[in-house]
Amino acid sequence: MTHFTHLNEKGEAQMVDVTKKSHTERSATATGFVKMQPETLRMIVEGEHKKGDVLATARIAGIQAAKKTSDLIPLCHPLMLTSVKVDLSPDEDAGGVRISATCKLSGQTGVEMEALTAASVAGLTIYDMCKAVDKGMVISNIQLEEKKGGKSGYWKR
C-alpha cells in the first residue's frame, strides 16, 4: 500500500510539492446522477421550469466549480485548466439527469478533484433550482470514471 502524500513525516497535513514532477497532458472524467420525480424531469426537458434553463445553469456552475476547486479543498493545487466540459443528459428510463464532467490540462498534477467537484456542483445546482417542486431528489454516484497522464498513467473504473 502506498503512503498518503498529503502527510509529512510527523503525520501533519501538507500540500504535496510537485516542483520536480514532469509537465504532462492530464485529464479526468467524473460522473454523477440526480434522481427526481418524472414531472420534475419533464419540466427540465421541456424548458418549463420557472427558474430558467436548469441544464445550462448547472453546466456553467460545474465549469465554475472546477475552476474554484483549490479554493474549496484545502490541499489542492490551483491549476491552469485548459478545458472543462460538463455534459448533462436527461434519462427518462432512470428517472433523472446524468452528469459527466471532464477536465484537462498540461501540468504537474492531476485533475481528478476538479472533475469530481464539477460533477458535484452541477448536481447541487440541479437540486437547488428544482427543490421547490421536488424536495425528494437524490444526488448519487459521484465517482471518478477515468484519468489519464502523469506517473500513474491511465486508470479506468
Side-chain angles (χ1 to χ4, degrees), residues 98-120:
R98 296 197 179 282
I99 303 164
S100 177
T102 300
C103 296
K104 296 180 181 179
L105 61 68
S106 177
Q108 295 167 290
T109 189
V111 291
E112 298 93 338
M113 295 311 301
E114 287 71 15
L116 287 161
T117 301
S120 298

Side-chain angles (χ1 to χ4, degrees), residues 36-46 48 133-134:
M36 60 192 63
Q37 295 295 320
E39 179 63 12
T40 308
L41 184 59
R42 185 196 65 74
M43 287 173 68
I44 290 171
V45 170
E46 295 180 10
E48 294 178 4
V133 296
D134 188 353

Side-chain angles (χ1 to χ4, degrees), residues 57-72 81 84-86 103 114 117-118 121-122 125:
T57 304
R59 183 176 303 106
I60 292 167
I63 293 167
Q64 284 296 106
K67 294 171 15 177
K68 293 291 190 179
T69 299
S70 67
D71 292 336
L72 301 169
L81 297 170
V84 179
K85 292 187 178 158
V86 178
C103 296
E114 287 71 15
T117 301
V121 171
T125 301

Side-chain angles (χ1 to χ4, degrees), residues 121-143:
V121 171
L124 288 168
T125 301
I126 292 169
Y127 188 97
D128 180 52
M129 291 186 75
C130 298
K131 68 182 182 274
V133 296
D134 188 353
K135 289 178 180 44
M137 289 175 289
V138 175
I139 302 168
S140 64
N141 300 329
I142 303 290
Q143 60 190 24

Side-chain angles (χ1 to χ4, degrees), residues 18 24 34 47 59 92 100 107 119 132 149-150 154:
V18 298
T24 62
V34 183
R59 183 176 303 106
E92 246 181 73
S100 177
Y154 180 70

